[in-house]
Amino acid sequence: MRTNFPHIRLRWHRVGSATAVTAALVLAGFGTAVHADATTSSKVTWAATPCATPKKTGELACNSLRVTGGTTAFQKARGITPKAADAATPSGYGPSDLQSAYGLTSASASNGSGETIAIVDAYNDPNAEADLAKYRSYYGLPACTSASGCFKKVSQTGSTTSLPSSDAGWAEEISLDLDMVSAIAPNAKILLVEAKSATMANLGKAVNEAVTLGAKFVSNSYGGSESSSDTSYDSSYFNHPGVAITVSAGDEGYGAEYPAASKYVTSVGGTALSASSNSRGWTETVWKTSSTEGTGSGCSSYDAKPSWQTDTGCTKRMISDVSAVADPATGVSVYDSYGVTAGWYTFGGTSASSPIIAAVYALAGTPGSSDYPAQYPYKHTSSLNDVTSGNNGSCSTSYFCTATTGYDGPTGWGTPKGVSAFTG
């Protein structure tokens, strides 16, 4: 097992007079980022969730960040003035916003019944079902409970009673994942599989358990540095034909992570999503806060290039395939109560984009039994919103880190425009 300690997330972005204050926060260990979002004209601050820093050697990091202050894009667009950190009031995009942005309003209402979307995370969130109920009730989504059979929480061995130890940081991640699946595919069933720790071995066993229990869509919002062991992890945990496995591309800017680099998964990059006066009603750019914070992307050092990926600058697996919203300043609304003041929070990170894409796959229908659904978007590139502006850092091969017309690393082929790009 490799050691995975992604860069400690003490990062900041300079915005006017906030520089000295932010630097002081970083030196004090708060790791708060400050972002001047073009759509808000005010500062939005956030910090990596606790699970973004692995607790032990060999553990992977979650890819989520929680807004701590300022006025988000959602609030600005609606003239809402309370601070984003006010847990009493949602301050991020809700289901109707996300469905509108990605052309899913009709599909979200009509599709997904009978499908099971699995969320794989580490440790236990004891309030997962109760928090999920709060989110779905507030937004008028149908109830999804264990009593009805819609929601199920198990350990990596499938037990409903012998669960991992509880962890407040991973509970935030779990709430984010469950709420994003609900926002996009409210008629689908949800299976939460909790690994006993955040090692690749335990998370991988949780992926296998999700598939064993019948999930055809499995979201993974974690990652770490690549290693020579990755190809063996591929065959042990991610080679599941007929199952759409999504993985967040990472939150540390340009650079490849695993398991996003697995040739068997759909790697999901991140964007900044803003309301617009254009015909779509929305616009997206690559999510980048600084050179060390933004969506991941890059050319894998170890994983072979899948046959359906045809970019010529990278001879191995290229990250990403597709993308969705991830910028905390244009973040999503989440209800959470374990280890924090119970209430509404706004989250970003590619931990948001991975479950969104898993849910879009579910709306599109069950994959072919021998298919690797990561190839689907490559067959239907015109059915995606091409993201053509922004970058996530510096690189020697431009499209590895810079958006362009057609395929690029940070956003792949683009973001959902309905479900057509996610079918065989």
Side-chain angles (χ1 to χ4, degrees):
M1 176 59 60
R2 63 172 172 236
T3 299
N4 276 314
F5 275 104
H7 305 299
I8 300 303
R9 303 185 176 200
L10 304 182
R11 300 180 286 231
W12 70 95
H13 184 59
R14 298 189 177 208
V15 182
S17 61
T19 304
V21 175
T22 307
L25 286 169
V26 172
L27 291 172
F30 288 96
T32 299
V34 181
H35 183 69
D37 180 57
T39 65
T40 64
S41 70
S42 66
K43 304 176 189 69
V44 181
T45 60
W46 60 83
T49 54
C51 58
T53 301
K55 296 191 300 184
K56 301 174 183 177
T57 300
E59 290 200 336
L60 286 81
C62 67
N63 286 310
S64 55
L65 306 106
R66 178 161 62 86
V67 169
T68 55
T71 305
T72 64
F74 169 84
Q75 293 175 302
K76 184 69 175 179
R78 289 159 180 76
I80 300 172
T81 56
K83 293 180 180 179
D86 178 5
T89 309
S91 57
Y93 293 135
S96 63
D97 302 296
L98 297 172
Q99 292 170 21
S100 168
Y102 296 126
L104 300 169
T105 303
S106 177
S108 293
S110 304
N111 300 1
S113 180
E115 305 288 9
T116 297
I117 305 169
I119 295 296
V120 171
D121 279 313
Y123 300 102
N124 178 43
D125 177 3
N127 297 356
E129 184 173 356
D131 289 351
L132 177 64
K134 291 280 190 180
Y135 181 89
R136 295 177 71 106
S137 175
Y138 180 88
Y139 286 111
L141 305 178
C144 187
T145 66
S146 54
S148 70
C150 175
F151 176 76
K152 186 175 185 180
K153 180 172 75 170
V154 301
S155 70
Q156 68 188 53
T157 63
S159 173
T160 58
T161 54
S162 181
L163 298 170
S165 59
S166 297
D167 182 89
W170 280 94
E172 293 184 38
E173 174 65 49
I174 288 169
S175 291
L176 168 61
D177 294 342
L178 296 178
D179 290 356
M180 289 308 95
V181 165
S182 299
I184 300 300
N187 297 318
K189 296 181 179 180
I190 303 176
L191 171 65
L192 172 60
V193 186
E194 298 178 331
K196 67 179 181 181
S197 76
T199 64
M200 187 68 261
N202 287 323
L203 288 162
K205 290 173 183 176
V207 171
N208 289 343
E209 185 63 25
V211 176
T212 297
L213 293 175
K216 299 298 183 183
F217 316 93
V218 184
S219 177
N220 304 267
S221 292
Y222 54 84
S225 56
E226 292 190 287
S227 84
S228 58
S229 299
D230 292 347
T231 53
S232 66
Y233 297 149
D234 280 352
S235 57
S236 296
Y237 308 128
F238 297 106
N239 186 5
H240 293 289
V243 180
I245 302 176
T246 64
V247 181
S248 56
D251 295 350
E252 299 187 335
Y254 175 63
E257 279 195 6
Y258 190 85
S262 171
K263 63 182 180 180
Y264 297 122
V265 310
T266 300
S267 57
V268 186
T271 67
L273 173 70
S274 305
S276 172
S277 59
N278 62 17
S279 58
R280 177 187 170 194
W282 300 86
T283 186
E284 287 175 280
T285 62
V286 175
W287 166 45
K288 175 188 176 183
T289 305
S290 69
S291 61
T292 56
E293 185 173 89
T295 183
S297 72
C299 182
S300 174
S301 298
Y302 300 99
D303 250 77
K305 198 172 199 68
S307 60
W308 37 262
Q309 194 172 55
T310 58
D311 64 291
T312 58
C314 171
T315 59
K316 294 189 180 294
R317 170 63 157 126
M318 187 69 195
I319 301 168
S320 296
D321 299 311
V322 292
S323 50
V325 62
D327 188 340
T330 68
V332 297
S333 185
V334 172
Y335 189 91
D336 186 50
S337 69
Y338 185 67
V340 295
T341 300
W344 295 97
Y345 297 92
T346 294
F347 279 85
T350 52
S351 280
S353 50
S354 177
I356 287 173
I357 296 299
V360 176
Y361 272 112
L363 295 180
T366 306
S369 60
S370 61
D371 290 354
Y372 290 100
Q375 68 186 298
Y376 291 170
Y378 289 75
K379 298 179 178 181
H380 308 285
T381 58
S382 63
S383 297
L384 293 159
N385 299 302
D386 191 6
V387 181
T388 59
S389 64
N391 68 80
N392 64 346
S394 300
C395 56
S396 57
T397 304
S398 179
Y399 79 89
F400 284 16
C401 65
T402 304
T404 187
T405 300
Y407 181 82
D408 58 72
T411 65
W413 283 105
T415 64
K417 185 165 62 175
V419 300
S420 296
F422 298 87
T423 62

